[in-house]
Amino acid sequence: MTLFTPETGRGEPSRPRPGTALVPGWLTLDQQAWIVGQFQAWAAGPVPIRAARVRGHEMSVRTVCLGWHWQPYQYTREATDVNGARVLPFPDWMVRLGRRALKQTGHTDTEVEAYTPDTALVNHYNDTARLGMHQDKDERSLAPVVSLSIGDACTFRFGNTENRNKPYTDLRLHSGDLFVFGGASRLAYHGVTRVHPFTAPDGCGLDSGRINITMRMTGLTD
Ligand code: SIN
Ligand code: MN
């Protein structure tokens, strides 16, 4: 039996902003469906998927984490804002996938070898979910963030490092797309302004809704 892991990619990157790369259709449908199967297991626990509370309000996005648990605005090994359980370990296949993502978006061999993502925030969006403009800045490392999208397409707004306003670029992220942001854009504000229902391709593993995985290096040690 061959163990299937989603480690091969395709497509050429575009660079919508400095330090970013977008590769449409990077994951095959089989790879997407395999990852959705993993997601279903992650979402069940030991830390069940949940909507984080930000300043007293529940986010419309639901999140399950791997490696380190994210809560506003810190990483912990135990999900102290959910049920106190320890999060699932960060899977080796995802480290390899993250390195492949950097390799295929023009990063140097040194950057690729040094890339050891140790947390993933796995977000689930229903038709009406949104994600406000924010920076990913709870990590101590400035290594790139690798983002994978599966299911319905979304409008992903990618902006500048100064504030939530213009200039920003609205990108359509489709099922299977890879987006990497590092370098000059590592601390850029970004968000999801809308999900586009009925756009998930047959065979991706999701009939509706959207999953996004962002893998990151926290720079933290126990
Ligand atoms: C995030 O900013 O953490 C998620 C982005 C996305 O859903 O594409
Ligand atoms: Mn983010």
Side-chain angles (χ1 to χ4, degrees), residues 1 14 19 21 32 40 60 64 77 79 110 113 121 141-143 171 183 190 211:
M1 186 187 106
S14 62
Q32 295 168 47
Q40 281 153 356
S60 57
V64 61
R77 289 292 195 193
T110 311
E113 280 153 29
L121 275 63
S141 161
L142 289 176
L171 303 166
H190 58 276
I211 293 172

Side-chain angles (χ1 to χ4, degrees), residues 195-208:
V195 171
H196 301 277
F198 312 114
T199 55
D202 286 346
C204 76
L206 280 181
D207 292 333
S208 64

Side-chain angles (χ1 to χ4, degrees), residues 50-63 70-73 81 130-132:
R50 62 78 167 96
R53 293 185 79 83
V54 177
R55 290 180 292 275
H57 296 281
E58 250 185 24
M59 293 172 67
S60 57
V61 173
R62 294 180 310 139
T63 308
W70 179 83
Q71 55 181 295
Y73 292 96
D81 62 335
R130 309 269 181 275
L131 187 64

